[in-house]
Amino acid sequence: MSRVSRRFLLVSALLVLIVGGNALAQSAGVAPPLNAWLMRVHQAARQSVYTGTFVVSAGGNMASARIWHVCDGSQQLERVESLSGTPRAIFRRNDQVITFFPASRVAIAEVRESLGLFPNLLKSNDSSIGDFYQLKSIGYDRIAGFDADVFQLVANDQLRYGYRVWSEKKTGLIMQLQTLDLDGRVLEQAAFSELQLDVPVSVGKLSRMMAHTEGYRILRPDLQKTDAQTQGWTLRSAVDGFKPMGCYQRPAAVAAGPGGNGQKTMQWIFSDGLATVSIFAEAYDSRRHVREGATDMGGATHTLTRRIGDWWATVVGEVPPITLNAFAQALERKK
Amino acid sequence: MDELDSKAREHVCALVDGCLPEGELAQVLSALLADPQSVQTWHAYHVVGDVLRSPELAPGRSDLAFLERLERRLAEEPERPGIVATHSSAWNSKEIAPVMVDMGTPVANAPVFRWKMLAGVASTALFGVLALNLWTEVNPKPGAQMSALNKDAQPLPPVVVADTRAGSMIRDPRLDELMAAHRQLGGHSALQVPAGFLRNATYEGPAR
């Protein structure tokens, strides 16, 4: 081989290395800023029109549902038909949700204020999600026939779980979401097993179906907005990254019976931007409130109970038990 | 339901929960059965309780309509000596057992007794549905285990796994209620739409 040929080969090899190296770097990718990325996936979810089959597996259980989603200006409409478990159809118009149970002819109508919360929070730069999670790009994949970017949200401490997210390449729509425990094992997975984007979904038809409550008894959860201070509760110390998002009063437990003192149950909600924790406080009842401690409800959800004098606290959330314990230990009765 | 005073509602609530002191049972039951509005409340409490615990626990059929039909049939039944009520316990089929009823010689409180029997039949049916759901729909999960969590210096009580393969540990219905409440109001996550909302809509919760 001539010297010229060898030089040519050397240059070619170097070029291949450089180009290959770049390609590799691209496959790992550089993660965009966290808030910008969250806004993108959020906007994708709002603006995309799609139908699909959504599958959730958690704690050895699996459930699936058929989804229709359409966006009409500022209005978002969604229909979720369960394919497993109790037959039910859930319709959502923005934050209005109604769940139909055809077997019992009962429909539950409710408002989920949390659904409208995040775009503004992310826009306002008031979000501290970036202080507690890091976004990492970990490559590409194919999900339900679509090319997807894969990202990982890595928790900065042990008070929260991490997430792995598959986001459709063109739109940013989340195709698959895994919740990972502190050792990186998958606790829960939610994914589209089949998805069709930009299909004709009729806003009018979904609206009519949602409004068709004839023959159903409509139940509206008896919820009153309140605040923890009014209810006599405070947290001695905040749990890192978790901010109070709202506080509600619910009717006393049905199971409380005549022995219950008629006190309502308080639900105080906290979020770190990705994970949510609810603190429930109700009057202590020795007949029902027997076991203090943590319970693994399967998947990412845990609960923890603790007696505080005449009160019984139950903390529920998609967080490690250690976090629930931090809430339970910090909870204090002020009056 | 609003027309009932709060005391009456409390009594109905206690009856639904099986918490009524024995001494008051007869009196409350008589009052309940004498008032269709109370019966309606009694039924509504069952449905509300069941739906809150889990939509799966809600009665799978129109049980009030069933009771009305049964009452009509009872009224049409010819008078026969003796009272025989048989309840099949074929719960495996998930069907509420057919009820065969022969009416006995009429007595002074016949209408009241009929209501009592209806209440009994319906309670049995509801109990059947509840028990069936609790015992047969517990999904597989590795057996109950206790595990201590030592990842932090803060002492943490042992973690109990809620559901078991053999169904040897019945779930706490109150915890299920609170889980449902958490799912309803809890989704404060930037990943909420669509993943979080669809997750909660699709997944009712762990093993029932």
Side-chain angles (χ1 to χ4, degrees), chain A residues 1-313:
Chain A
M1 194 180 284
S2 72
R3 186 172 288 181
V4 175
S5 300
R6 256 185 262 157
R7 275 190 187 160
F8 177 73
L9 271 178
L10 194 64
V11 170
S12 303
L14 274 173
L15 271 174
V16 165
L17 272 176
I18 290 164
V19 172
N22 276 347
L24 207 67
Q26 272 175 9
S27 76
V30 178
L34 179 56
N35 272 21
W37 178 80
L38 286 170
M39 270 310 286
R40 180 169 187 251
V41 297
H42 192 88
Q43 289 302 335
R46 290 169 63 87
Q47 289 160 4
S48 304
V49 176
Y50 59 84
T51 64
T53 306
F54 199 69
V55 181
V56 178
S57 54
N61 305 313
M62 205 159 97
S64 59
R66 185 88 192 132
I67 315 288
W68 290 258
H69 179 271
V70 63
C71 179
D72 179 22
S74 61
Q75 184 174 236
Q76 285 190 79
L77 271 162
E78 199 155 52
R79 173 184 169 200
V80 180
E81 292 269 356
S82 69
L83 297 174
S84 46
T86 314
R88 63 203 183 283
I90 299 160
F91 288 85
R92 175 172 79 87
R93 179 187 288 114
N94 298 336
D95 59 356
Q96 309 281 325
V97 177
I98 182 159
T99 307
F100 293 90
F101 295 96
S104 51
R105 308 299 284 176
V106 166
I108 298 176
E110 54 197 293
V111 178
R112 298 198 184 176
E113 290 179 352
S114 60
L115 288 169
L117 200 67
F118 273 87
N120 295 333
L121 187 67
L122 293 169
K123 276 179 206 158
S124 71
N125 287 329
D126 195 27
S127 156
S128 59
I129 301 175
D131 296 341
F132 298 95
Y133 296 91
Q134 286 174 42
L135 182 67
K136 291 184 176 173
S137 171
I138 55 173
Y140 307 128
D141 201 356
R142 255 170 79 77
I143 295 283
F146 288 86
D147 289 328
D149 296 309
V150 189
F151 295 94
Q152 190 152 344
L153 287 152
V154 183
N156 288 345
D157 57 25
Q158 299 210 324
L159 290 173
R160 57 212 96 232
Y161 291 133
Y163 302 88
R164 197 176 291 140
V165 183
W166 283 252
S167 154
E168 202 271 319
K169 215 171 181 53
K170 285 182 193 156
T171 60
L173 185 71
I174 294 180
M175 304 282 300
Q176 180 164 293
L177 175 71
Q178 290 179 339
T179 310
L180 311 171
D181 73 6
L182 302 174
D183 299 319
R185 286 187 296 256
V186 177
L187 288 170
E188 266 194 38
Q189 176 167 297
F192 283 103
S193 64
E194 175 266 321
L195 177 75
Q196 290 179 296
L197 281 169
D198 301 321
V199 287
V201 179
S202 163
V203 175
K205 190 178 169 195
L206 286 196
S207 289
R208 282 194 298 278
M209 289 174 85
M210 186 170 181
H212 190 69
T213 53
E214 199 183 319
Y216 279 83
R217 194 144 44 94
I218 299 182
L219 303 178
R220 294 177 198 279
D222 183 9
L223 282 174
Q224 289 160 14
K225 267 191 166 181
T226 180
D227 63 84
Q229 199 177 0
T230 310
Q231 298 298 314
W233 292 99
T234 184
L235 279 189
R236 259 196 305 272
S237 53
V239 179
D240 267 0
F242 286 91
K243 294 177 183 169
M245 306 303 284
C247 192
Y248 296 85
Q249 259 195 327
R250 296 178 165 276
V254 175
N261 59 9
Q263 290 276 1
K264 295 187 171 186
T265 303
M266 177 195 74
Q267 182 177 3
W268 193 8
I269 302 160
F270 293 82
S271 171
D272 71 351
L274 298 182
T276 312
V277 170
S278 291
I279 298 178
F280 296 93
E282 59 190 316
Y284 172 71
D285 178 347
S286 58
R287 293 168 306 166
R288 298 187 298 118
H289 299 142
V290 182
R291 196 185 66 81
E292 287 184 277
T295 307
D296 176 356
M297 304 301 280
T301 311
H302 288 81
T303 71
L304 186 138
T305 48
R306 182 185 167 222
R307 184 178 172 185
I308 303 170
D310 294 334
W311 298 87
W312 185 256

